Amino acid sequence: MIRIGNASGFYGDRFDAVREMLTGGDLDVLTGDYLAELTMLILGRDRLRDQNLGYARTFLRQLEESLALAVERGVRIVTNAGGLNPAGLAAAIRELATRQGLDVRVAHVEGDDLLGDGFPGALTANAYLGCWGIVECLNAGADVVVTGRVTDASLVAGPAAAHHGWTRADLDALAGATAAGHVIECGTQATGGNFAFFTEIGDLTHAGFPIAEIAADGSSVITKHPGTGGAVTVETVTAQLLYEIAGPRYLGPDVTTRFDTITLAPEGPDRVALTGTRGEPPPETVKVCVNTLDGFRNSMTFVLCGLDIEEKAALVRRQLDAAVGPDGLHWTLARTDHPDADTEQAASALLHVTVKTPDAKRAKAFSRASVELALASYPGATLTSPPGDGTPVGVYRPEFVPQSRIDQVAVLPDGTRRPVEPPTVFAGPVADTPADPAFTPGPTRRISLGTIVGARSGDKGGDANLGVWVRDPAAYPWLVHELTVERLRELLPEAAGLDIDRHPLPNLGAINFVLHGLLGQGVAASTRFDPQAKSLGEWLRSRHVDVPEAFL
């Protein structure tokens, strides 16, 4: 088997994780995932200022203190921190190695950047590449492989395929590695972070990052370094498997991974076996992450305390509409106030207002006009922040292009440019309609859904993903019958008018929902209270439903 660790789940994750993973135990490969749809927008704005930027600079600073350690321990590094400029980051790593007197072979992968290739007006346009460029780099002896926009799981599937000598035909093995990569890609979310039943997890003060031990057949064990915080359990792995997916067929550029075939089982403390994963050919197209700029935004929050909350909010709305015009203003009144409260904060509600406008001057004038109401509005008028400039709004949209349109190239340590051919065997669309299990009703008790159900939620552009699972497999038939699309709309009224996809996953005791359009134009443009839908699952778990007493 090959032992692959992860040290980053996003651009901004724990800085010391690279060093911790290199010193905490044995590894063959250390990966780092720095990219998300929002990150590509951030890097695109960086590159507008300086064409030499466009990569995750934090990763380079991490290597300054850890590259020598990786060389000493014989750990190879694979990361997508190259962002929009993998060649630039690879060159910077070579310069760093030279300064530190290290012999480090650095390679990188190109071909994801499709900007100017049919996406007019885009700030960034990057295809999700697969693992075979990484394989070429590792087979050529690279110690560090830098990529741009590859799928997150490819950072794990690539080293596994290179180590075990897999080909494109080894679909089950590739699917198993992809599933393992999906589990560890978000770092400590696999070891107890953001876990619904976090009070049952060991010490989360400083959670350890995850490791996938991947065998030649693609099966794996998910674990972490001994003595690190958090925990690896069947449920923490289940939660992460449900994160930001759609249906049972998880589409990737190299393989379609059948999430409805995955079997999880404990294999000792902090060890979970992931077996049985089946793979099918990939789709004919690959997704392209396209970001465009769409004006400016600014936000202010008014504190409304005590009596007449609705009337106070209405007055502010009339005043601000008159001052800057109602176009592009989005209002949310959060009734956090309590009657007869024993603290001022508990007696207060929050009125959030956001402006979205093509005019940067209007975005700034909006916050100034808000502050000017301080002595001319409702009693006790208070704002939570001073006025400020607006910030650019980025809009994400997914596009799809034929795999044959991608010119993926592995740039090897000696500078050789080796083209990576696209796949030639593809799968057609398949409808997934598993039959619902039988369920016999019994006595119930009205209680929070989260008493017996866990959840994990997140964003996919303007859509939200919401995965739920039962703790007791016997409760799964009840969950399937209880949590229909219509019932979900009742429990989450903000989703009442949305198109919702529902995907049962009996092998995981789970259902995954995709709520289309909940986040509007995506994270950077969303005016929703929770723009990345990270708390959507916790909201659902807090709702009261009639739960069979047999499961309590």
Side-chain angles (χ1 to χ4, degrees), residues 119-178:
F119 302 101
L123 176 66
T124 69
N126 296 81
Y128 285 76
L129 303 183
C131 73
W132 295 105
I134 296 170
V135 172
E136 292 286 354
C137 293
L138 292 172
N139 285 342
D143 302 305
V144 179
V145 180
V146 174
T147 77
R149 179 70 278 185
V150 298
T151 69
D152 301 341
S154 291
L155 300 174
V156 172
H163 178 82
H164 293 300
W166 298 337
T167 70
R168 288 188 181 272
D170 294 309
L171 294 174
D172 289 347
L174 289 167
T178 297

Coordinates of all heavy atoms in Angstrom, one line a residue, residues 119-178:
F119 N -14.7 31.5 -23.7 CA -15.4 32.1 -22.5 C -15.1 33.6 -22.4 O -14.4 34.0 -21.5 CB -14.8 31.4 -21.2 CG -15.0 29.9 -21.3 CD1 -13.9 29.0 -21.6 CD2 -16.3 29.3 -21.0 CE1 -14.1 27.7 -21.6 CE2 -16.4 27.9 -21.1 CZ -15.3 27.1 -21.4
P120 N -15.7 34.3 -23.3 CA -15.4 35.8 -23.4 C -15.9 36.5 -22.1 O -17.0 36.1 -21.5 CB -16.3 36.2 -24.6 CG -17.3 35.2 -24.8 CD -16.6 33.9 -24.4
G121 N -15.1 37.4 -21.6 CA -15.5 38.1 -20.4 C -15.1 37.5 -19.1 O -15.4 38.0 -18.0
A122 N -14.6 36.3 -19.2 CA -14.3 35.5 -17.9 C -13.0 36.0 -17.3 O -12.1 36.4 -18.0 CB -14.2 34.0 -18.2
L123 N -13.0 36.1 -16.0 CA -11.8 36.3 -15.2 C -10.9 35.1 -15.2 O -9.7 35.2 -15.3 CB -12.1 36.9 -13.8 CG -11.0 37.1 -12.9 CD1 -10.1 38.3 -13.4 CD2 -11.5 37.4 -11.5
T124 N -11.5 34.0 -14.9 CA -10.8 32.7 -14.9 C -11.7 31.7 -15.6 O -13.0 31.8 -15.5 CB -10.5 32.2 -13.5 OG1 -11.7 31.8 -12.8 CG2 -9.8 33.2 -12.7
A125 N -11.1 30.7 -16.2 CA -11.9 29.5 -16.8 C -10.9 28.3 -16.8 O -10.0 28.3 -17.6 CB -12.3 29.9 -18.2
N126 N -11.2 27.4 -15.9 CA -10.2 26.3 -15.6 C -11.0 25.0 -15.6 O -11.9 24.8 -14.8 CB -9.5 26.5 -14.3 CG -8.6 27.8 -14.4 OD1 -9.1 28.9 -14.1 ND2 -7.3 27.6 -14.6
A127 N -10.5 24.1 -16.5 CA -11.1 22.7 -16.5 C -10.6 21.9 -15.4 O -9.4 22.1 -14.9 CB -10.8 22.1 -17.8
Y128 N -11.4 21.0 -14.9 CA -11.0 20.1 -13.8 C -10.3 18.9 -14.5 O -10.9 18.0 -15.1 CB -12.2 19.6 -13.1 CG -12.8 20.6 -12.1 CD1 -13.6 21.7 -12.6 CD2 -12.6 20.5 -10.7 CE1 -14.1 22.6 -11.7 CE2 -13.1 21.4 -9.8 CZ -13.9 22.5 -10.3 OH -14.4 23.4 -9.5
L129 N -9.0 18.9 -14.3 CA -8.2 17.8 -14.9 C -8.2 16.6 -14.0 O -8.5 16.7 -12.8 CB -6.7 18.2 -15.1 CG -6.5 19.5 -16.0 CD1 -5.0 19.7 -16.1 CD2 -7.2 19.3 -17.3
G130 N -7.8 15.4 -14.6 CA -7.7 14.2 -13.8 C -6.3 14.0 -13.2 O -5.5 14.9 -13.1
C131 N -6.0 12.7 -13.0 CA -4.8 12.3 -12.3 C -3.6 12.0 -13.1 O -2.4 11.9 -12.6 CB -5.1 11.2 -11.3 SG -5.3 9.6 -12.2
W132 N -3.7 11.9 -14.5 CA -2.7 11.2 -15.3 C -1.5 12.2 -15.5 O -0.4 11.7 -15.7 CB -3.2 10.7 -16.6 CG -4.2 9.6 -16.3 CD1 -5.6 9.6 -16.3 CD2 -3.9 8.3 -15.7 NE1 -6.1 8.4 -15.9 CE2 -5.1 7.6 -15.5 CE3 -2.7 7.7 -15.5 CZ2 -5.1 6.3 -15.0 CZ3 -2.7 6.3 -15.0 CH2 -3.9 5.7 -14.8
G133 N -1.7 13.5 -15.5 CA -0.6 14.4 -15.5 C 0.3 14.2 -14.3 O 1.6 14.2 -14.4
I134 N -0.3 14.1 -13.1 CA 0.4 13.8 -11.9 C 1.2 12.5 -12.0 O 2.4 12.4 -11.6 CB -0.6 13.8 -10.7 CG1 -1.2 15.2 -10.5 CG2 0.1 13.4 -9.4 CD1 -2.4 15.2 -9.5
V135 N 0.6 11.5 -12.5 CA 1.2 10.2 -12.7 C 2.5 10.3 -13.5 O 3.6 9.8 -13.2 CB 0.3 9.2 -13.3 CG1 1.0 7.9 -13.7 CG2 -0.9 8.9 -12.4
E136 N 2.4 11.0 -14.6 CA 3.6 11.2 -15.5 C 4.7 11.9 -14.7 O 5.9 11.5 -14.9 CB 3.2 12.1 -16.7 CG 2.3 11.3 -17.7 CD 3.0 10.3 -18.5 OE1 4.2 10.1 -18.4 OE2 2.3 9.5 -19.3
C137 N 4.4 12.9 -14.0 CA 5.4 13.7 -13.2 C 6.1 12.8 -12.2 O 7.3 12.8 -12.0 CB 4.8 14.9 -12.5 SG 4.2 16.2 -13.7
L138 N 5.3 12.0 -11.5 CA 5.8 11.1 -10.4 C 6.7 10.0 -11.1 O 7.7 9.7 -10.5 CB 4.7 10.5 -9.6 CG 4.0 11.5 -8.7 CD1 2.8 10.9 -8.0 CD2 4.9 12.1 -7.6
N139 N 6.2 9.5 -12.2 CA 7.0 8.4 -12.8 C 8.3 8.9 -13.4 O 9.2 8.1 -13.6 CB 6.1 7.8 -14.0 CG 5.0 6.9 -13.4 OD1 5.1 6.4 -12.3 ND2 4.1 6.6 -14.3
A140 N 8.4 10.2 -13.6 CA 9.6 10.8 -14.1 C 10.5 11.2 -12.9 O 11.6 11.8 -13.2 CB 9.3 12.0 -14.9
G141 N 10.2 10.9 -11.7 CA 11.0 11.1 -10.6 C 10.8 12.4 -9.8 O 11.7 12.8 -9.0
A142 N 9.7 13.1 -10.0 CA 9.5 14.3 -9.3 C 9.3 14.1 -7.8 O 8.7 13.2 -7.4 CB 8.2 15.0 -9.9
D143 N 10.0 15.0 -7.1 CA 9.8 15.1 -5.6 C 8.6 15.9 -5.2 O 8.0 15.7 -4.2 CB 11.0 15.6 -5.0 CG 12.3 14.8 -5.3 OD1 12.3 13.6 -5.0 OD2 13.3 15.4 -5.8
V144 N 8.4 17.0 -6.1 CA 7.2 17.9 -5.8 C 6.5 18.0 -7.2 O 7.1 18.3 -8.2 CB 7.7 19.3 -5.4 CG1 6.5 20.2 -5.2 CG2 8.5 19.2 -4.1
V145 N 5.2 17.9 -7.1 CA 4.3 18.0 -8.3 C 3.3 19.1 -8.0 O 2.6 19.1 -7.0 CB 3.6 16.8 -8.7 CG1 2.7 17.0 -9.9 CG2 4.6 15.6 -8.9
V146 N 3.3 20.2 -8.8 CA 2.4 21.3 -8.7 C 1.4 21.2 -9.8 O 1.8 21.1 -11.0 CB 3.2 22.6 -8.8 CG1 2.2 23.8 -8.8 CG2 4.2 22.7 -7.6
T147 N 0.1 21.4 -9.5 CA -0.9 21.4 -10.5 C -1.7 22.7 -10.4 O -1.6 23.4 -9.4 CB -1.9 20.2 -10.4 OG1 -2.8 20.5 -9.3 CG2 -1.1 18.9 -10.2
G148 N -2.5 22.9 -11.4 CA -3.5 24.0 -11.3 C -4.8 23.3 -10.9 O -4.9 22.5 -9.9
R149 N -5.9 23.5 -11.7 CA -7.2 23.0 -11.3 C -7.4 21.6 -11.7 O -7.8 21.3 -12.8 CB -8.3 23.9 -11.9 CG -9.8 23.5 -11.6 CD -10.2 23.7 -10.2 NE -9.8 22.7 -9.3 CZ -10.2 22.6 -8.1 NH1 -11.0 23.6 -7.5 NH2 -9.8 21.7 -7.3
V150 N -7.0 20.7 -10.8 CA -7.3 19.3 -11.0 C -8.5 19.0 -10.0 O -8.7 19.8 -9.1 CB -6.1 18.3 -10.7 CG1 -5.0 18.6 -11.7 CG2 -5.7 18.5 -9.2
T151 N -9.2 17.9 -10.2 CA -10.2 17.5 -9.2 C -9.4 17.3 -7.9 O -8.3 16.8 -7.8 CB -11.0 16.3 -9.6 OG1 -10.1 15.1 -9.5 CG2 -11.5 16.4 -11.0
D152 N -10.1 17.6 -6.8 CA -9.4 17.4 -5.5 C -9.0 16.0 -5.2 O -7.9 15.8 -4.7 CB -10.4 17.8 -4.3 CG -10.9 19.2 -4.5 OD1 -10.3 20.0 -5.2 OD2 -12.0 19.6 -3.9
A153 N -9.8 15.0 -5.6 CA -9.4 13.6 -5.4 C -8.2 13.2 -6.3 O -7.6 12.2 -5.9 CB -10.6 12.7 -5.7
S154 N -8.0 13.9 -7.4 CA -6.9 13.5 -8.2 C -5.5 13.6 -7.5 O -4.5 13.0 -7.9 CB -6.9 14.4 -9.5 OG -8.0 14.0 -10.3
L155 N -5.4 14.5 -6.5 CA -4.2 14.6 -5.8 C -3.8 13.4 -5.1 O -2.7 13.1 -4.8 CB -4.3 15.8 -4.8 CG -4.6 17.2 -5.3 CD1 -4.9 18.2 -4.2 CD2 -3.5 17.7 -6.2
V156 N -4.8 12.5 -4.8 CA -4.6 11.2 -4.1 C -4.6 10.1 -5.1 O -3.7 9.2 -5.1 CB -5.7 11.0 -3.1 CG1 -5.6 9.6 -2.5 CG2 -5.6 12.0 -1.9
A157 N -5.5 10.2 -6.1 CA -5.5 9.1 -7.1 C -4.3 9.1 -7.9 O -3.8 8.0 -8.3 CB -6.8 9.3 -8.0
G158 N -3.7 10.2 -8.2 CA -2.4 10.3 -9.0 C -1.3 9.5 -8.4 O -0.7 8.6 -9.0
P159 N -0.9 9.8 -7.1 CA 0.1 9.0 -6.4 C -0.2 7.6 -6.3 O 0.7 6.7 -6.5 CB 0.2 9.7 -5.1 CG -0.2 11.1 -5.3 CD -1.3 11.0 -6.3
A160 N -1.5 7.2 -6.1 CA -1.8 5.8 -5.9 C -1.6 5.1 -7.3 O -1.1 4.0 -7.3 CB -3.3 5.7 -5.5
A161 N -2.1 5.7 -8.4 CA -1.9 5.1 -9.7 C -0.5 4.9 -10.1 O -0.1 3.9 -10.7 CB -2.7 6.0 -10.7
A162 N 0.3 5.9 -9.8 CA 1.8 5.8 -10.1 C 2.4 4.7 -9.3 O 3.2 4.0 -9.8 CB 2.4 7.2 -9.8
H163 N 2.1 4.7 -8.0 CA 2.7 3.7 -7.1 C 2.3 2.2 -7.5 O 3.2 1.4 -7.5 CB 2.3 3.9 -5.7 CG 2.8 3.0 -4.7 ND1 4.1 3.1 -4.1 CD2 2.2 1.9 -4.1 CE1 4.3 2.1 -3.3 NE2 3.2 1.3 -3.3
H164 N 1.1 2.0 -7.9 CA 0.6 0.7 -8.1 C 0.6 0.3 -9.6 O 0.3 -0.8 -10.0 CB -0.8 0.5 -7.6 CG -0.9 0.6 -6.1 ND1 -0.3 -0.3 -5.3 CD2 -1.6 1.4 -5.3 CE1 -0.6 -0.1 -4.0 NE2 -1.4 1.0 -4.0
G165 N 1.0 1.3 -10.5 CA 1.1 1.0 -11.9 C -0.2 0.8 -12.6 O -0.3 0.1 -13.6
W166 N -1.3 1.5 -12.1 CA -2.6 1.4 -12.7 C -2.6 2.0 -14.1 O -1.8 2.9 -14.4 CB -3.7 2.0 -11.9 CG -3.8 1.4 -10.5 CD1 -3.5 0.2 -10.1 CD2 -4.4 2.1 -9.4 NE1 -3.8 0.0 -8.8 CE2 -4.3 1.2 -8.3 CE3 -4.9 3.4 -9.1 CZ2 -4.8 1.5 -7.0 CZ3 -5.3 3.7 -7.9 CH2 -5.3 2.8 -6.8
T167 N -3.5 1.5 -14.9 CA -3.8 2.2 -16.2 C -5.2 2.7 -16.2 O -6.0 2.5 -15.2 CB -3.7 1.1 -17.4 OG1 -4.8 0.2 -17.3 CG2 -2.4 0.4 -17.3
R168 N -5.6 3.4 -17.3 CA -7.0 3.9 -17.4 C -8.0 2.8 -17.3 O -9.2 3.1 -16.9 CB -7.2 4.7 -18.7 CG -6.4 6.0 -18.7 CD -6.8 6.8 -19.9 NE -6.1 8.1 -20.0 CZ -6.5 9.2 -19.5 NH1 -7.6 9.2 -18.8 NH2 -5.8 10.3 -19.6
A169 N -7.7 1.6 -17.6 CA -8.6 0.5 -17.5 C -8.9 0.0 -16.1 O -9.9 -0.7 -15.9 CB -8.2 -0.7 -18.4
D170 N -8.1 0.4 -15.2 CA -8.3 -0.1 -13.8 C -9.3 0.8 -13.1 O -9.0 1.5 -12.1 CB -6.9 -0.1 -13.1 CG -5.9 -1.0 -13.6 OD1 -6.3 -2.2 -13.7 OD2 -4.8 -0.6 -13.9
L171 N -10.6 0.7 -13.6 CA -11.6 1.6 -13.1 C -12.0 1.4 -11.6 O -12.2 2.4 -10.9 CB -12.8 1.5 -14.0 CG -12.6 1.9 -15.5 CD1 -13.9 1.6 -16.3 CD2 -12.3 3.4 -15.5
D172 N -12.1 0.2 -11.2 CA -12.4 -0.1 -9.8 C -11.3 0.5 -8.9 O -11.7 1.1 -7.8 CB -12.6 -1.6 -9.5 CG -13.9 -2.1 -10.2 OD1 -14.7 -1.3 -10.6 OD2 -14.1 -3.3 -10.2
A173 N -10.1 0.3 -9.2 CA -9.0 0.8 -8.4 C -9.0 2.3 -8.4 O -8.8 2.9 -7.3 CB -7.6 0.2 -8.9
L174 N -9.2 2.9 -9.5 CA -9.2 4.4 -9.6 C -10.4 4.9 -8.8 O -10.3 6.0 -8.1 CB -9.3 4.8 -11.1 CG -8.1 4.6 -11.9 CD1 -8.4 4.8 -13.4 CD2 -7.0 5.6 -11.5
A175 N -11.5 4.2 -8.9 CA -12.7 4.7 -8.1 C -12.4 4.6 -6.6 O -12.8 5.5 -5.9 CB -13.9 3.8 -8.5
G176 N -11.8 3.5 -6.2 CA -11.5 3.4 -4.8 C -10.6 4.5 -4.3 O -10.8 5.1 -3.2
A177 N -9.5 4.8 -5.1 CA -8.6 5.9 -4.7 C -9.3 7.2 -4.8 O -9.1 8.1 -4.0 CB -7.4 5.9 -5.7
T178 N -10.2 7.4 -5.7 CA -11.0 8.6 -5.8 C -11.9 8.8 -4.5 O -12.0 9.9 -4.0 CB -11.9 8.7 -7.0 OG1 -11.1 8.6 -8.2 CG2 -12.8 9.9 -7.1

